[in-house]
Amino acid sequence: MRDKNSASSTGREALQLDVAALRADTPGCRRVIHFNNAGCGLMAAPVTDAMVGHLNLEARIGGYEASAARAAEVRAFYTEIAALINTTPDNIAFAGSATHAYANALSAIPFETDDVILTTRDDFVSNQIAFLSLRKRFGVRIVHAPNTPDGGVDVEAMAALMRTHRPRLVSATHVPTNSGLVSPVAEIGRHCRELDLLYLVDACQSVGQLAVDVAEIGCDFLTATCRKFLRGPRGSGFLYVSDRVLRAGHEPLFIDMHGARWTEPGGYEPAGTAARFEEWEFPYATVLGSATATRYAREVGIEAIEQRTPALAARLRDRLAPIPGVRVLDRGPRLAALVTFGVAGWQRQPFKAAMDARGINSSLSLREFAQFDFGDKDVDWCLRLSPHYYNTEEEVDHVAHVVAELAGQGRR
């Protein structure tokens, strides 16, 4: 699916993708311009084939029997995810979503009154709501590290807060859902390791478009979904759990017969692996689809994806920025493939509907998703466009042309 070409003008080796073949693998490309990969990527045909094939097998021989027959393929989910993020299969737990994985991780931490959760101003909305819920229930304190003037967390200021507060948990979102910012999660992780602090990373928007290495990041937990830039099915995600968390005996608040053994009437023993964070029932067709999607991404090549996908987004920002009435909102020293912008003269739903009518998939981000970020930018909503490696430069230019046309209508 890829071949190495000559070095690029920046000196970095360019990894060329066979975009035509990738689009042929993606039936949705024939129907829409899909710039909503940060919401849900278009699945490739091998992914849907794996899922439908397993559902047909369940119908023929029974659900339990089908999962037993496909046991090796099910185990491949763990080996594929582990290879993707540089860990071992024993450190991976399947989850129904990144939010489910995140909640399970939080539930394993024995919070007490006045414990500090140190996070950023660019964290994911559901994570922030979970912290507020913990504050309501247990009396924890939530501390937000400041941002730099250029955007993104001030790592040195965050490190100083670590030393001052000795937080029970440090949390960061790698790529926020409401902007293209790439947070310096590995730099944060180095400080966490120096101070022996628990570190939780939300990699929901980065897995599948950027190289994610848990050893380099130095996190104790990492959560992600499979439906976004990994192009897997909805209802799938995973939790990475570090060896030190497993050795320390951290376990989810509600653990079941899959995550533990009932060893005596008054006691149980948790699984020695990240399986303690899983539950008995699995959507096996979804697990197989997720394994196939992860294998597909690895065969395409994460290095090539990491070059192409943000480059398409940068091209889009360059095309949008000069358009009168359009305000590109992304800030930070490094930007991913989430492009956010406001359009003067339009309300959010009519503008989104106008894009839909032109066959362009997009997503709205609202102030309630990003109270700090949108407050700083003084916006109530924006449109989010998120291309991926199977999109084309021609699609980028066409989308920018459509936005310019609609922005002109708004000015009138």
Side-chain angles (χ1 to χ4, degrees), residues 48-167:
T48 54
D49 289 347
M51 297 176 68
V52 172
H54 188 74
L55 290 174
N56 286 332
L57 183 64
E58 286 187 349
R60 290 198 304 271
I61 69 172
Y64 281 27
E65 292 74 14
S67 62
R70 294 279 172 80
E73 291 91 336
V74 170
R75 287 195 298 272
F77 169 81
Y78 302 92
T79 57
E80 291 293 339
I81 294 290
L84 182 72
I85 66 171
N86 188 28
T87 187
T88 73
D90 284 349
N91 296 99
I92 300 298
F94 176 82
S97 69
T99 299
H100 180 205
Y102 201 93
N104 257 1
L106 285 179
S107 79
I109 302 170
F111 290 107
E112 298 177 358
T113 301
D114 288 330
D115 279 348
V116 169
I117 297 174
L118 176 61
T119 184
T120 73
R121 294 170 60 85
D122 298 293
D123 203 12
F124 180 52
V125 51
S126 293
N127 305 344
Q128 291 291 302
I129 292 172
F131 299 158
L132 292 170
S133 176
L134 287 168
R135 185 174 72 181
K136 181 190 294 185
R137 180 166 296 192
F138 296 112
V140 304
R141 293 186 293 137
I142 308 166
V143 176
H144 294 88
N147 278 356
T148 68
D150 294 331
V153 66
D154 184 329
V155 177
E156 291 308 314
M158 193 173 191
L161 290 169
M162 292 180 199
R163 292 188 290 271
T164 299
H165 293 286
R166 300 297 303 188

Side-chain angles (χ1 to χ4, degrees), residues 297-316:
R298 294 182 58 235
E299 289 174 352
V300 171
I302 293 300
E303 299 88 353
I305 294 170
E306 187 176 45
Q307 285 186 31
R308 178 170 175 81
T309 297
L312 289 171
R315 182 187 181 102
L316 181 58

Side-chain angles (χ1 to χ4, degrees), residues 10 77 90 123 166 246 269 376 388:
T10 62
F77 169 81
D90 284 349
D123 203 12
R166 300 297 303 188
L246 294 173
E269 179 183 338
D376 293 342
H388 207 359

